[in-house]
Amino acid sequence: MTRKEFSEKYGQILLPLVTPFDEKEEIDYKVYEDLIEYLIKNDLCDSLIVTGTTGEASLCTFDERVKLMETAVRVSAGRKPVIAGTGCASTKETVALTKKAEELGIDLCMVVCPFYNKPTQPGVYNHYKTIAESVGVNILLYNIPIFVGINIDAPTVHELAKIPNIIGIKDEAGINPTQVTDYFLATEDVNPEFVIFNGDDIMLLPTIVQGAMGIVSGGAHIFGHEIRAIMQAFAAGENEKAKELFVPLYRFCKSCGQNGRILPNSIMRPAIELVTGIKVGPARSPLAPITDEEKAVLVDVLKQVGKLS
């Protein structure tokens, strides 16, 4: 798949859906349907990602993840492409979940680097090679060392880019803001069409400057239109405008990281509820719910950036 073909099919804004929970921390599939309808109707993204980090995939069971995929495919009904997050801690389970996505007609899977086990780079390579050779879908590597504990190094991506159905990578760029460039340099000789996306809202501007083709953005639940305007302004050479449009998104992202929170869900979820009116519920344990003090800061920021009156 060429970069142009990827952009035409999946676009620039890939949105990882939050997974709604009720008061007993059970998935509320009806609210999930409502959220998908809202996002499609308001054109806040180009593609939908099921059970990514924002969807708290590591806190969901295998069967729950499959049912979320089924729901998204059915509700989107071809109006937006559905991408499945299928990464698990083990290669065996990742293969099984990716096969389930393929059975549902999903043709692109985003596979996070295996977590908890901290494999070596040869282990990472073997993991992805096994998955890619076990399925017919395309694979988007997902690098997020801040959560999984290891990085997918550029030489490893160089080797993985030789595998036909490993077509790109999403990089959570906060730890290494220039790694996007490392990935471009590492793959240009083996696959010049290798797709490279940013996966960190707060790093949107630094990465599109380096050539990132788009963003995987949890913040697009609220700031989808602004993210699109930022990328359009940059593409038009309107750098000052892009910077001005980026500041509200930046301030929102900073508010979601209060008190050292790494995964922003506990604060992002209330923000989604306040702006959209859709009750997605609190994050699943062990993520601690938002505090009164954090909510006060969040509400103030949302008001200042024009998302609440």
Side-chain angles (χ1 to χ4, degrees):
M1 175 176 282
T2 66
R3 289 173 179 163
K4 182 182 180 192
E5 289 169 340
F6 187 97
S7 295
E8 288 174 349
K9 182 167 185 177
Y10 299 106
Q12 289 184 294
I13 304 173
L14 317 183
L15 187 150
L17 293 155
V18 296
T19 301
F21 297 116
D22 63 20
E23 66 279 358
K24 294 181 180 179
E25 297 193 2
E26 296 298 323
I27 296 176
D28 191 324
Y29 293 98
K30 176 59 173 65
V31 174
Y32 200 58
E33 294 179 12
D34 294 342
L35 178 63
I36 291 169
E37 284 291 348
Y38 175 89
L39 295 168
I40 293 174
K41 185 177 296 184
N42 289 280
D43 196 28
L44 289 165
C45 63
D46 299 315
S47 293
L48 301 166
I49 299 174
V50 183
T51 69
T53 302
T54 305
E56 296 171 37
S58 67
L59 304 179
C60 295
T61 68
F62 186 98
D63 290 343
E64 285 175 334
R65 293 174 75 174
V66 172
K67 188 171 180 179
L68 287 164
M69 292 177 200
E70 292 171 343
T71 303
V73 169
R74 173 175 52 81
V75 175
S76 62
R79 292 175 292 167
K80 298 282 185 185
V82 174
I83 301 167
T86 58
C88 304
S90 74
T91 306
K92 184 179 182 65
E93 188 173 14
T94 304
V95 167
L97 190 56
T98 307
K99 284 182 175 179
K100 285 290 186 181
E102 186 173 16
E103 290 170 9
L104 292 171
I106 295 171
D107 53 18
L108 177 63
C109 290
M110 188 178 73
V111 181
V112 71
C113 190
F115 43 88
Y116 188 80
N117 302 290
K118 288 193 172 183
T120 61
Q121 291 299 304
V124 171
Y125 174 82
N126 291 334
H127 173 78
Y128 282 114
K129 181 174 184 289
T130 299
I131 296 161
E133 292 178 346
S134 300
V135 296
V137 299
N138 286 324
I139 302 294
L140 190 67
L141 308 174
Y142 176 10
N143 188 48
I144 185 164
I146 197 170
F147 287 127
V148 305
I150 57 170
N151 189 57
I152 310 177
D153 293 342
T156 303
V157 175
H158 170 86
E159 294 302 317
L160 289 171
K162 298 175 183 178
I163 300 172
N165 60 329
I166 296 181
I167 64 169
I169 188 167
K170 166 204 166 180
D171 185 41
E172 191 280 324
I175 288 180
N176 187 344
T178 61
Q179 189 159 239
V180 165
T181 296
D182 290 333
Y183 289 150
F184 274 114
L185 295 175
T187 58
E188 61 184 357
D189 63 330
V190 291
N191 181 5
E193 297 293 338
F194 197 72
V195 170
I196 300 176
F197 264 62
N198 165 43
D200 187 348
D201 287 25
I202 213 163
M203 296 300 296
L204 174 57
L205 281 186
T207 52
I208 60 175
V209 168
Q210 296 173 72
M213 294 170 53
I215 185 169
V216 177
S217 168
H221 285 87
I222 298 171
F223 288 89
H225 295 152
E226 288 82 355
I227 291 169
R228 194 179 305 282
I230 290 165
M231 291 190 289
Q232 288 174 343
F234 177 77
E238 299 173 340
N239 294 344
E240 282 299 318
K241 181 179 179 181
K243 185 177 71 173
E244 290 172 8
L245 291 168
F246 175 68
V247 170
L249 174 65
Y250 179 86
R251 295 184 63 191
F252 170 71
C253 292
K254 295 291 282 188
S255 76
C256 289
Q258 296 177 64
N259 298 314
R261 293 185 187 269
I262 302 300
L263 187 62
N265 288 32
S266 296
I267 299 178
M268 183 181 292
R269 286 170 168 275
I272 292 170
E273 291 187 342
L274 287 166
V275 174
T276 69
I278 299 171
K279 302 301 181 184
V280 295
R284 190 173 254 183
S285 298
L287 296 174
I290 191 171
T291 66
D292 290 341
E293 293 79 9
E294 289 171 335
K295 189 170 184 179
V297 171
L298 171 66
V299 169
D300 185 56
V301 168
L302 289 173
K303 286 180 178 178
Q304 289 185 36
V305 301
K307 291 296 178 179
L308 290 179
S309 56

